[in-house]
Amino acid sequence: MSARFTPPAVPVAETSFRDGMRLEYRLTYADMLLFAAAHQFFSPLLQLMFLGLAALIAGSGGDNATSTAFAACGWYAGLWLAQFALIAAFLVSRKNRTHLTTHAIEVSDRSLYEATRYNESHFFWPGVIKAVSRPGFVAVYVAQHTAHVIPDRAFASPEQRSEFLAVVRRKIAGAA
């Protein structure tokens, strides 16, 4: 039962990416925590909600503008810390085993291919929303709140990471 899983190879006929290029990596709890926190932090709706709530709570405390501003900043930071703690607790679930496993990603002219020991999927370029670069990882969004998280350690070099992002973004733009 301890046999090493090797996701099946996908035939990559014509690809702009270097032939035979394949990313394989193990996604960890820390990777998912970093992605979830960054994904939520970059959400304009959540930012507005936390800013508004912090201002409302702090504004109800007194007339001094300086103390109100400091209180609002404190509440804002506290709300994000609470959100981060909730994300961390949520990700502890054993149900994440299908994410916290070895992944293989390949880019072809037709699709983004992803495989784990639990699934095998092709995401055709018209259905891929965006590829973003964040400190520590690259995320390729296949839905508004669903992305393939690729940690920096999956790339042989920063140049390979940049090349991957450029190719994926070209594929997405070409499919639009």
Side-chain angles (χ1 to χ4, degrees):
M1 193 142 267
S2 65
R4 176 159 158 60
F5 165 72
T6 304
V10 160
V12 180
E14 300 172 53
T15 179
S16 302
F17 223 29
R18 280 183 275 129
D19 290 333
M21 170 81 180
R22 176 185 176 93
L23 298 175
E24 289 191 34
Y25 56 92
R26 182 163 184 82
L27 205 57
T28 66
Y29 172 82
D31 297 328
M32 290 303 295
L33 182 59
L34 179 61
F35 166 73
H39 173 75
Q40 291 190 9
F41 187 76
F42 285 103
S43 164
L45 183 60
L46 206 51
Q47 284 287 359
L48 285 173
M49 186 180 81
F50 280 9
L51 283 169
L53 191 56
L56 183 67
I57 292 169
S60 65
D63 295 330
N64 185 338
T66 304
S67 65
T68 300
F70 279 121
C73 289
W75 276 103
Y76 177 76
L79 288 168
W80 275 112
L81 284 173
Q83 180 70 4
F84 187 78
L86 285 171
I87 293 168
F90 177 75
L91 289 176
V92 169
S93 167
R94 299 184 105 232
K95 295 175 185 172
N96 286 321
R97 70 181 180 161
T98 60
H99 292 291
L100 304 179
T101 189
T102 301
H103 293 252
I105 296 276
E106 290 185 12
V107 175
S108 75
D109 284 339
R110 293 184 56 220
S111 66
L112 176 75
Y113 170 77
E114 189 261 351
T116 71
R117 65 186 293 179
Y118 302 103
N119 74 294
E120 201 174 329
S121 304
H122 286 271
F123 296 89
F124 297 105
W125 294 116
V128 178
I129 297 173
K130 65 182 175 180
V132 299
S133 174
R134 301 283 186 252
F137 66 91
V138 168
V140 180
Y141 282 83
V142 295
Q144 183 177 1
H145 299 291
T146 306
H148 293 289
V149 179
I150 306 164
D152 284 350
R153 69 179 174 281
F155 301 99
S157 67
E159 293 77 22
Q160 185 189 44
R161 183 184 192 274
S162 296
E163 179 186 2
F164 177 83
L165 265 170
V167 168
V168 169
R169 287 174 174 163
R170 271 197 311 272
K171 299 287 186 189
I172 294 168

